Amino acid sequence: MKKIVVGVALLMFAVAGFAADRPATPELNPPDNGEEWLRLSSTEKLFWSIGYAQGYQEALDKIDVTAGPTSPCAALAVRTERQSSTSGKLTGFELVSGLERFYSDPANTVIPIGTAIRIHLLQASGKDQTTIQELIDTARVLGLQAAARPRP
Amino acid sequence: MRHKYTVVVLLIAIVAAPAIPLTGQEEPLPPIQVKLTYEPAVVLAVVPFHEPVQPTLADAVRANDFATFDALYRSAPMPAFAMLHELWTFSMNDPVGAFFGPELRDRIARAYPGFAEYIEEFRIIDSNGNAFYPTSETRAFLLDRAIEGRAPRVLLAETVTSTPRIGTPASSPAERAASRRRAPVVAAKPKPIPTRVAARDAAGSAGEDAGVPQAVALAAPVVAETAPAVVAEQTPAPAPAPVVAAPVVPAVVQQPNDFGSRGILLLVIGLIGIGILAMMLRAPRDEPPVTILPAQPITRPSAAPPPPPAPQESGKNRATGSHG
């Protein structure tokens, strides 16, 4: 009987310890496309945008470590990725606002969010509207195909 | 008799013979016919006819379709959607339009009671203490109010009462126009604005770093305060209504809401007065106590008056009817 009581007490302590270890921050499911983006609250959108920009920049900074300083990946990162990354160009507020603007067209909601960010950056950098529209049309087609594919 | 039975049996056999195969097997399956697909020589374009459904403003908002909403609103503006249209247009045109500052929040809160409590839950405060309010949740709130048919409260009363009224109804139009032109000068006395609020409002965008634009923003409200007065003085002879309305609005926004507090004070004083009056009216008067006893002196039962005399014609039969 004594052993059972001790066991139950240990179990309760363990449960309490696990509960205390859980992070207090809300868990956020990363959105895939505009449909999922629009389901987030504004606070979640802002947190996600800040995290996306920070994570993207950190990944770019470490690409020479992971892929090697003279690898094609590093060269690609220097050549293109740094130019199209959000870090240093957009704040979290601006990124949220840009995505809100982009997804205010219901036809764009199928476009993956990474593509939407790149298109928004190109728009913000003053790319010509014809090229932007071609990119949007292509992204819509690809987004529709991706949406039709069953998810793993 | 036997012959009859034979005939009946024969009839039954004749009738049932086709249904029962002699071999005892089931009927063979029908022959399979290969279906050939024929391509029609002429293909007529048949398009299902659908009634064109005109989306409403609420549908466009629910679908997050700004282009449709804007087009619908411009074609047929509805007062209930005015604030929503203004907010969404701001959101689409401002670089950080997904969030707005306390100035716009105060405006919406004045127009819609209950908004301040609603948006408090979604407020975001950055490390510098600046508060930002999301446009998306505000749009949802305004859509609900618009569906309920509630137009934003017009703040015309506040504008009129807070501005010093110089002209009287009997004044001539020229005097009234002159007094209106003078009014912003009085109202344009700059109200001390907290540095942080001024920086936020002047920046106009929620996403900027509050540490950077503060130096620029400090000067902006001063210009905004004094601008209406100067413009009003230099305007030679403006049309009364539209020209005056433009400079008055920013000045009114800066002024404290004295009308509300004064009205509440008057209301409280009036209620107290009514209460005192009611207490005075209900106080007991120095009147003799009301009694339920008769005013005549009480007499003993023995001294009661004799019963009334019996009617004289009591012995007679009472005549009934008019013919007796």
Side-chain angles (χ1 to χ4, degrees), chain A residues 32-36 102-103 106-116 119 134-151:
Chain A
D32 282 340
N33 52 24
E35 199 177 327
E36 295 180 7
F102 186 78
Y103 287 130
N108 289 348
T109 52
V110 293
I111 296 177
I113 200 157
T115 311
I119 292 174
E134 284 176 5
L135 282 172
I136 290 175
D137 292 340
T138 309
R140 282 176 185 170
V141 173
L142 293 175
L144 282 173
Q145 290 175 0
R149 234 176 281 136
R151 286 194 176 186

Side-chain angles (χ1 to χ4, degrees), chain A residues 83 89-90 118-128 132:
Chain A
Q83 294 168 9
K89 300 186 183 72
L90 291 179
R118 283 172 181 267
I119 292 174
H120 171 61
L121 280 169
L122 289 172
Q123 273 178 328
S125 65
K127 196 83 174 173
D128 61 302
I132 295 289

Side-chain angles (χ1 to χ4, degrees), chain A residues 1-108:
Chain A
M1 184 65 187
K2 222 174 190 178
K3 285 181 180 176
I4 293 174
V5 172
V6 171
V8 170
L10 279 175
L11 186 67
M12 290 178 72
F13 272 116
V15 169
F18 277 122
D21 283 344
R22 287 191 65 189
T25 52
E27 291 178 1
L28 184 61
N29 294 323
D32 282 340
N33 52 24
E35 199 177 327
E36 295 180 7
W37 167 262
L38 292 174
R39 274 194 229 124
L40 299 179
S41 71
S42 291
T43 310
E44 290 172 335
K45 286 172 189 170
L46 182 62
F47 285 175
W48 183 88
S49 300
I50 293 169
Y52 181 89
Q54 286 179 354
Y56 204 98
Q57 182 62 27
E58 286 182 14
L60 281 177
D61 291 342
K62 290 174 183 170
I63 202 165
D64 55 344
V65 178
T66 54
T70 56
S71 66
C73 286
L76 184 70
V78 170
R79 198 171 62 244
T80 57
E81 292 295 325
R82 281 186 203 285
Q83 294 168 9
S84 59
S85 73
T86 57
S87 181
K89 300 186 183 72
L90 291 179
T91 64
F93 287 101
E94 286 171 336
L95 185 54
V96 174
S97 304
L99 286 173
E100 288 282 283
R101 212 172 301 127
F102 186 78
Y103 287 130
S104 67
D105 186 351
N108 289 348

Side-chain angles (χ1 to χ4, degrees), chain B residues 3-20:
Chain B
H3 182 68
K4 282 184 181 176
Y5 278 126
T6 308
V7 170
V8 170
V9 169
L10 276 175
L11 276 174
I12 291 171
I14 289 166
V15 170
I20 302 170

